Amino acid sequence: MMKLLFENKVNGIMGVLFFIGVFLVFFLSWKTDPNLKGTPLIPEWLSDWTDNVHNDRRRTGVPFIGLGLLAGMYLIYIKRTKVFYWGLVWFVLGFVVVIAEAVQYFLPSRSMDLKDIFWGGVGSTIGLGLPFVVWYSIKTFKRNSHWK
């Protein structure tokens, strides 16, 4: 009973965190001014980095690193570790970045950019790749270890 209750809470928390992350991606992608300076809940050091002209494309990947890490840890937690699931989540994250960029096409002060889609894919790959590599390394170590 306690295990089921804990699992339901974890599922709910992960779902809410993922929803908040996707909501923030859409909100920040669709706001009139692409600069984040003065945006509530965004620390000044982060808005300074994101608003720097050298980071204007790479910044798209940052939230997808976080979403990828969250989704990857969740896949490990629910034991959906086949490559198919990792690819499916990567596809979903890619779909999110494509939607975020596609809507910008219709916003007068914003523009759709294929480089942003690329950087969103890079962020998703890094975010999903880190937990996958750690999980796979631990699994391999345990399988080859004498301390089973």
Side-chain angles (χ1 to χ4, degrees):
M1 174 70 169
M2 195 65 153
K3 182 180 177 185
L4 181 62
L5 182 62
F6 178 75
E7 286 177 5
N8 287 338
K9 282 187 180 184
V10 170
N11 290 340
I13 290 169
M14 294 300 255
V16 167
L17 289 175
F18 192 80
F19 175 81
I20 289 170
V22 171
F23 174 81
L24 286 173
V25 165
F26 288 154
F27 173 76
L28 295 173
S29 295
W30 300 338
K31 65 190 268 296
T32 307
D33 182 7
N35 292 321
L36 298 182
K37 191 76 153 176
T39 302
L41 304 175
I42 304 290
E44 188 175 337
W45 63 269
L46 183 57
S47 66
D48 288 343
W49 182 84
T50 61
D51 294 345
N52 185 318
V53 80
H54 299 297
N55 301 320
D56 66 345
R57 298 293 175 249
R58 289 180 281 204
R59 76 182 191 171
T60 302
V62 173
F64 288 94
I65 293 172
L67 286 170
L69 283 168
L70 181 69
M73 290 185 297
Y74 184 67
L75 286 174
I76 293 167
Y77 174 76
I78 64 172
K79 296 178 177 39
R80 298 288 194 272
T81 53
K82 292 183 180 178
V83 173
F84 168 79
Y85 294 109
W86 295 88
L88 182 62
V89 170
W90 187 81
F91 178 79
V92 168
L93 292 173
F95 189 67
V96 169
V97 76
V98 167
I99 289 172
E101 287 299 310
V103 170
Q104 286 184 5
Y105 177 80
F106 300 101
L107 301 175
S109 62
R110 303 298 295 263
S111 63
M112 182 176 168
D113 191 342
L114 293 177
K115 291 177 188 170
D116 284 341
I117 294 172
F118 169 80
W119 282 107
V122 168
S124 298
T125 302
I126 291 169
L128 282 169
L130 289 172
F132 180 82
V133 167
V134 169
W135 166 79
Y136 189 79
S137 299
I138 291 170
K139 177 183 157 189
T140 303
F141 177 77
K142 284 182 176 180
R143 185 178 49 220
N144 296 333
S145 174
H146 299 289
W147 297 298
K148 295 180 183 178

